[in-house]
Amino acid sequence: MPHEELKGRVLDTVTFPVEAGKIREFARATLATSPIHEDPQSAAERGFAAVPAPPTFAVSVAHHRTVDEASALGLDLRRVLHGEAAWEFFKPVVAGDVLTAHREVADVIQREGGRGGRMTMIIIRTDFTTADGALAIRQSDTIIERAA
Amino acid sequence: MSAPDLAPAPADLTALTVGDEIHGQFGPITRTQLVRYAGAGGDFNPIHHDEEFAKSAGMPGVFSMGLFHGGVAGGWLAAWLGLEHVTALKLRFTGQVWPGDVLSLHARVDDIEEHADGRLIICSLLVERQNGDVALKGEVRAR
């Protein structure tokens, strides 16, 4: 059972390459219709240095992690829901970038659930920086563990 | 893909006005799409691809990860507003989406702030199942 002392805990920091093939795979899996995610010429016409990642692409950092947040936070996957995901975009992420994702627990909120048990909301913040150290994307996820 | 589809005409941000709307639709959602998204995004929670596990969690079966249909909606909004203009995206998952569902996407310009360096467009997003259940509420900002 997660507790409020998890607040501030750093989950992990991982560095990974943003690859054109992964961008294409992600764009197709999310039914993106814009050619800019596959065609460098279309991307260049819109001012991108290479094919850009779709807006929610940063989540694919999951492939590069070795820390599973459910076990790290003591969550039961059968009771876990993704409540909210939010991103702030500071600069475009394009093929060829190398991103470093730093993930920590921003907040933990506990509430009495409808059936007498405790519902826990965990806010996880992930900052994605490019190789020059500039913040490109800040992602916030709200993970909800329903009462047992 | 059913019409209206997921290829909105690109917006001219200087011409948008409060109340402008676009609508899209996709589905029926297949288990194959969920598995493909799991592989693309890296979400291997078995509740989204393993029927036995989903049933052991008290669900009737597997259901969509919010980031699959949320990712579709995000890409659709970026195709409309221009990816290079999108500064923020928020997705709140308000209900489950199941294989077989056909989703309707609705985006509306709720507010426009005029700033010295340009306009900030604030749009709301709503994703509904075929029965009217709201699966997702969101917001996107562009400038």
Side-chain angles (χ1 to χ4, degrees):
Chain A
M1 188 67 185
H3 296 291
E4 282 161 23
E5 58 265 27
L6 288 172
K7 187 173 170 177
R9 179 188 288 189
V10 174
L11 286 173
D12 54 8
T13 302
V14 295
T15 297
F16 64 103
V18 176
E19 295 153 327
K22 191 68 193 175
I23 288 175
R24 173 181 295 193
E25 178 191 2
F26 191 92
R28 291 187 180 185
T30 52
L31 314 180
T33 55
S34 173
I36 59 173
H37 305 299
E38 302 200 9
D39 174 27
Q41 183 60 37
S42 300
E45 284 165 11
R46 292 270 294 277
F48 294 105
V51 291
T56 63
F57 176 85
V59 301
S60 69
V61 62
H63 286 290
H64 306 280
R65 287 177 170 145
T66 53
V67 175
D68 162 47
E69 71 267 22
S71 5
L73 299 171
L75 301 174
D76 178 353
L77 275 184
R78 288 177 174 76
R79 292 188 285 124
V80 168
L81 294 170
H82 197 181
E84 186 174 308
W87 299 262
E88 291 171 86
F89 305 103
F90 301 100
K91 56 184 274 197
V93 167
V94 302
D97 281 346
V98 174
L99 291 179
T100 295
H102 177 85
R103 184 167 62 147
E104 62 180 62
V105 178
D107 206 357
V108 179
I109 300 156
Q110 295 201 315
R111 247 184 230 168
E112 295 308 313
R115 287 174 296 170
R118 270 195 150 183
M119 186 182 93
T120 307
M121 295 170 66
I122 300 171
I123 320 292
I124 297 175
R125 187 175 64 220
T126 311
D127 280 347
F128 296 83
T129 49
T130 42
D132 58 1
L135 181 63
I137 300 174
R138 169 167 284 179
Q139 180 178 341
S140 297
D141 289 289
T142 304
I143 308 297
I144 299 169
E145 188 185 53
R146 292 178 287 138
Chain B
M1 197 177 293
S2 359
D5 63 13
L6 292 170
D12 173 358
L13 296 197
T14 63
L16 282 179
T17 57
V18 171
D20 283 352
E21 294 181 6
I22 61 161
H23 306 277
Q25 190 178 78
F26 74 100
I29 288 173
T30 65
R31 285 170 177 76
T32 304
Q33 285 177 320
L34 302 186
V35 169
R36 188 174 189 180
Y37 178 75
D43 179 351
F44 295 107
N45 183 339
I47 208 161
H48 301 300
H49 62 257
D50 180 337
E51 293 284 345
E52 284 180 23
F53 183 91
K55 285 175 180 164
S56 78
M59 302 309 234
V62 298
F63 56 98
S64 176
M65 39 297 251
L67 284 169
F68 167 58
H69 50 274
V72 174
W76 174 72
L77 291 168
W80 178 43
L81 297 167
L83 178 67
E84 63 274 42
H85 299 298
V86 174
T87 60
L89 173 66
K90 185 183 287 189
L91 306 173
R92 191 154 59 84
F93 308 113
T94 54
Q96 259 121 13
V97 167
W98 304 92
D101 278 356
V102 176
L103 300 184
S104 301
L105 292 70
H106 311 280
R108 179 185 184 274
V109 178
D110 278 353
D111 198 10
I112 297 176
E113 294 176 10
E114 302 286 350
H115 294 274
D117 58 343
R119 326 170 85 199
L120 174 66
I121 315 283
I122 301 168
C123 301
S124 57
L125 165 71
L126 194 69
V127 177
E128 289 179 318
R129 300 177 62 224
Q130 62 282 350
N131 64 359
D133 284 356
V134 176
L136 190 163
K137 286 182 179 179
E139 184 188 273
V140 62
R141 292 174 174 242
R143 71 184 310 158

